[in-house]
Each structure stands twice: as C-alpha cells, then as structure tokens.
Amino acid sequence: MGTRGRSIVGMDVDVLIEKLNKAFADEWLAYYQYWMGAKVAKGPMREGLVAELLQHATDELRHAGLVADRIIQLGGTPLLEPKNWYEMTNCGYEVPDDPYVEVLIDQNIKGEQCAIDVYQELANLTREADPVTYEIVLQILTDEVEHEEDLQALAEDIQLMKERG
Ligand code: FE
Ligand code: FE
Ligand code: MG
C-alpha cells in the first residue's frame, strides 16, 4: 500500500475497496463464462463467435488484473478464494448449459450490460474523489461498451443470415 496514495482518496477507502472487489468477482466470472462459452458453442457462425468470445475472455482476465492491482495499491486484499466470487458478484454467472450460439450471445450481452452499469456507477463515484481509480474504471468501461456492441452486431448478423439466407 502507498500511504500517500491512499490518503489522497477523497472517499471512504474501505467502501471503495469493497466495490472494487465486487467488480473483481464479476471479472473472473465473466472470464470463465466467455472461456466456457467458447468451448461449448454450437450453431451458425460458430467460428466467428468463438474468436470473439476468446478475445473477450482475454479482456476480462486483464480487467481482473487491473482491478486487483488497484485494490492492493489502496491497501486492500483482492478476493482470495473463488467461492467468494459467487458471494460478491454484481452480475452473477449465466451457466452456458444451452450451447446454441444465440443463447450464449444473449447471456453474454446481459453480462456486459450489467458490467456497463457497474463501471458507470464506479466512474461516477470516483470521478472527483479518486482520479487514479477513475482512470482505470474508464479504460474498463470503454472495453465493456465495445464488448456489448460486438455481441449485438454478431446477434444481428445471425438474425440477418436466418432471414435472408
Ligand atoms: Fe470486464
Ligand atoms: Fe466485457
Ligand atoms: Mg470484441
């Protein structure tokens, strides 16, 4: 922990660490959901979807790393056990028990929309109070917005293919 770095934060640091740990849980679950979805996916345009899912999985794991580093800088401890992910998550985990591409895409769109809300809230909370966290949150939010659009564009392509052959 950097003591000066922590002392300049203009809000309750323990509350912030708790919120970052909840986002950290979301990132691991999002990573696993994408990674597993890429393994089991079946249906039209599977290869394009699998490539997108794997790219997103990589991004979510990178987000988990960014959030963990910031928690540690603030003097906190990132969740140490996977079982804590389920207890702390905002966005939950959608089991990919139906491997059909459109179902997977819908599940992941839901996850991205939740992530956008979580990081928008964190951005509002930290914009003035903690510009260092704000900068990290903004990077992640930008990725989540891109993820949502990627998935909605894929869903649209699959829909067009089905309508127009
Ligand atoms: Fe993420
Ligand atoms: Fe994402
Ligand atoms: Mg993408």
mmCIF file of all heavy atoms in Angstrom, residues 19 21 30 38 69 94 108:
data_model
loop_
_atom_site.group_PDB
_atom_site.id
_atom_site.type_symbol
_atom_site.label_atom_id
_atom_site.label_comp_id
_atom_site.label_asym_id
_atom_site.label_seq_id
_atom_site.Cartn_x
_atom_site.Cartn_y
_atom_site.Cartn_z
ATOM 1 N N LYS A 19 -16.303 -2.226 -3.237
ATOM 2 C CA LYS A 19 -16.913 -2.128 -4.564
ATOM 3 C C LYS A 19 -15.973 -2.677 -5.647
ATOM 4 O O LYS A 19 -16.409 -3.323 -6.592
ATOM 5 C CB LYS A 19 -17.308 -0.683 -4.883
ATOM 6 C CG LYS A 19 -18.542 -0.220 -4.103
ATOM 7 C CD LYS A 19 -18.922 1.202 -4.438
ATOM 8 C CE LYS A 19 -20.079 1.709 -3.573
ATOM 9 N NZ LYS A 19 -21.355 1.008 -3.831
ATOM 10 N N ASN A 21 -13.759 -5.010 -5.144
ATOM 11 C CA ASN A 21 -13.760 -6.469 -5.012
ATOM 12 C C ASN A 21 -15.000 -7.094 -5.640
ATOM 13 O O ASN A 21 -14.937 -8.198 -6.199
ATOM 14 C CB ASN A 21 -13.635 -6.886 -3.542
ATOM 15 C CG ASN A 21 -12.232 -7.405 -3.235
ATOM 16 O OD1 ASN A 21 -11.598 -8.078 -4.066
ATOM 17 N ND2 ASN A 21 -11.740 -7.115 -2.042
ATOM 18 N N ALA A 30 -17.038 -13.407 -15.523
ATOM 19 C CA ALA A 30 -17.201 -13.075 -16.946
ATOM 20 C C ALA A 30 -16.139 -13.810 -17.773
ATOM 21 O O ALA A 30 -16.428 -14.359 -18.842
ATOM 22 C CB ALA A 30 -17.095 -11.572 -17.163
ATOM 23 N N ALA A 38 -16.869 -20.402 -25.297
ATOM 24 C CA ALA A 38 -16.055 -20.663 -26.491
ATOM 25 C C ALA A 38 -15.821 -22.166 -26.672
ATOM 26 O O ALA A 38 -15.704 -22.655 -27.795
ATOM 27 C CB ALA A 38 -14.717 -19.919 -26.390
ATOM 28 N N ASP A 69 -4.781 -5.033 -8.938
ATOM 29 C CA ASP A 69 -3.634 -4.151 -8.683
ATOM 30 C C ASP A 69 -4.067 -2.886 -7.947
ATOM 31 O O ASP A 69 -3.375 -2.430 -7.032
ATOM 32 C CB ASP A 69 -2.947 -3.759 -9.999
ATOM 33 C CG ASP A 69 -2.173 -4.915 -10.619
ATOM 34 O OD1 ASP A 69 -1.933 -5.916 -9.921
ATOM 35 O OD2 ASP A 69 -1.821 -4.811 -11.812
ATOM 36 N N GLU A 94 -24.007 -16.770 -15.768
ATOM 37 C CA GLU A 94 -25.038 -17.444 -16.563
ATOM 38 C C GLU A 94 -24.440 -18.763 -17.069
ATOM 39 O O GLU A 94 -23.527 -18.751 -17.902
ATOM 40 C CB GLU A 94 -25.434 -16.587 -17.761
ATOM 41 C CG GLU A 94 -26.007 -15.229 -17.393
ATOM 42 C CD GLU A 94 -27.532 -15.213 -17.345
ATOM 43 O OE1 GLU A 94 -28.171 -16.122 -17.917
ATOM 44 O OE2 GLU A 94 -28.074 -14.284 -16.719
ATOM 45 N N ASN A 108 -24.276 -13.398 -22.686
ATOM 46 C CA ASN A 108 -23.110 -12.520 -22.550
ATOM 47 C C ASN A 108 -23.485 -11.044 -22.714
ATOM 48 O O ASN A 108 -22.879 -10.183 -22.077
ATOM 49 C CB ASN A 108 -22.010 -12.937 -23.531
ATOM 50 C CG ASN A 108 -21.315 -14.215 -23.087
ATOM 51 O OD1 ASN A 108 -20.971 -14.363 -21.922
ATOM 52 N ND2 ASN A 108 -21.130 -15.152 -23.993
#
